[in-house]
Amino acid sequence: MLKLHHHPMSAASRFVRIVLGEYGERCELVEERPWERRRDFLALNPAATLPVMIEDNGPAIVGGIIIGEYLDETRGAFQRDKRLMSEKPIERAEARRLTEWFLHKLDSEVTRYLIRERVFKLEMKPTEGGGPPDASAIRAARANLKHHLRYLGWLAESRDWLAGARLSYADIAAAGALSALDYIGEVAWDAEPAVKDWYMRLKSRPSFRPLLTERVRGLPPSAQYAELDF
């Protein structure tokens, strides 16, 4: 049995959940607020970062990319045409590059700031860093997001899927991040039509449905968040 410690608005957590859905794996979800530094959670991951996955009461597997690799080795390798990583090393390298781009670079320049300022701070106590959002951080993240969307648009226009001819971890990492940003209405879909078309393909997959039905307490989603054709 798989157990995933996550937060609904964590991009890396969303990535792992979509991967699990694509592979038909069920898991127990444990919602964490990592800023609370819960003792039992710190025992699993002293860095207090998400996501953290445990299989059959085994050791903690920490981080979206690491969990993704674990799932590829233990599930994907046996899925053949449904595998989310290519059999070819050069194609796997490109999928890994883009997965890191969306889970690390996009996160460090955009996602973590917008989600922290607009979502997490609402849940945090003042002693945990809560309070009014930082307008300058939001402005900088929004400016950075425009550059990332342009790059994503170029990928979507020039390839069938982001890393090549097949759906891969790269698509799921990007979709996981954008879905969190779309929840709070931060994605200008009309500015990049190719990105919008690509995202609608991802959004229509069964693995995406659980994300679209979830709601953050006290924060309703944007109008188009759950719409498959928007």
Side-chain angles (χ1 to χ4, degrees):
M1 180 65 182
L2 295 170
K3 179 184 291 186
L4 184 69
H5 294 257
H6 79 117
H7 189 284
M9 294 299 285
S10 157
S13 297
R14 285 174 171 242
F15 162 72
V16 171
R17 291 179 64 190
I18 299 170
V19 170
L20 288 168
E22 288 290 327
Y23 284 151
E25 292 285 340
R26 302 176 69 177
C27 73
E28 177 187 351
L29 294 175
V30 179
E31 184 174 333
E32 291 285 352
R33 296 181 174 189
W35 55 86
E36 293 180 349
R37 302 184 66 82
R38 192 170 62 86
R39 179 175 298 178
D40 288 348
F41 179 59
L42 289 177
L44 296 174
N45 178 20
T49 56
L50 293 172
V52 175
M53 191 177 76
I54 298 169
E55 181 165 23
D56 296 332
N57 296 315
I61 307 165
V62 178
I65 289 179
I66 303 303
I67 295 172
E69 292 288 345
Y70 176 84
L71 292 173
D72 178 61
E73 292 174 358
T74 60
R75 272 75 174 176
F78 306 100
Q79 295 277 344
R80 296 189 177 182
D81 291 343
K82 294 183 179 180
R83 188 178 185 182
L84 296 169
M85 291 292 279
S86 172
E87 299 290 337
K88 299 178 181 179
I90 192 65
E91 294 177 357
R92 287 202 302 274
E94 177 65 353
R96 287 184 173 117
R97 180 185 76 84
L98 289 172
T99 300
E100 183 173 7
W101 181 288
F102 294 115
L103 294 187
H104 286 176
K105 184 173 175 63
L106 177 64
D107 185 70
S108 67
E109 297 177 358
V110 178
T111 317
R112 74 171 61 172
Y113 295 104
L114 290 176
I115 298 300
R116 175 183 171 84
E117 297 303 324
R118 296 199 52 200
V119 182
F120 291 168
K121 277 191 171 182
L122 298 176
E123 301 179 342
M124 292 175 169
K125 299 174 182 176
T127 54
E128 297 166 339
D134 184 336
S136 62
I138 291 175
R139 283 195 300 271
R142 286 172 173 167
N144 289 337
L145 178 57
K146 293 178 182 178
H147 300 296
H148 283 278
L149 285 175
R150 281 197 289 269
Y151 180 51
L152 188 53
W154 177 83
L155 290 171
E157 288 175 349
S158 58
R159 301 171 176 181
D160 294 333
W161 295 95
L162 298 186
R166 292 176 52 184
L167 175 72
S168 75
Y169 276 2
D171 300 280
I172 295 174
L178 288 187
S179 66
L181 294 172
D182 186 44
Y183 188 99
I184 55 175
E186 289 288 352
V187 184
W189 296 111
D190 291 340
E192 295 291 342
V195 176
K196 183 177 180 179
D197 291 343
W198 159 85
Y199 184 68
M200 284 195 295
R201 283 192 285 159
L202 265 295
K203 197 177 186 181
S204 298
R205 298 180 72 85
S207 60
F208 228 88
R209 290 173 190 163
L211 301 182
L212 299 179
T213 61
E214 287 186 348
R215 298 294 180 266
V216 176
R217 186 169 54 253
L219 183 65
S222 61
Q224 78 284 342
Y225 176 72
E227 298 296 327
L228 300 182
D229 187 6
F230 62 99

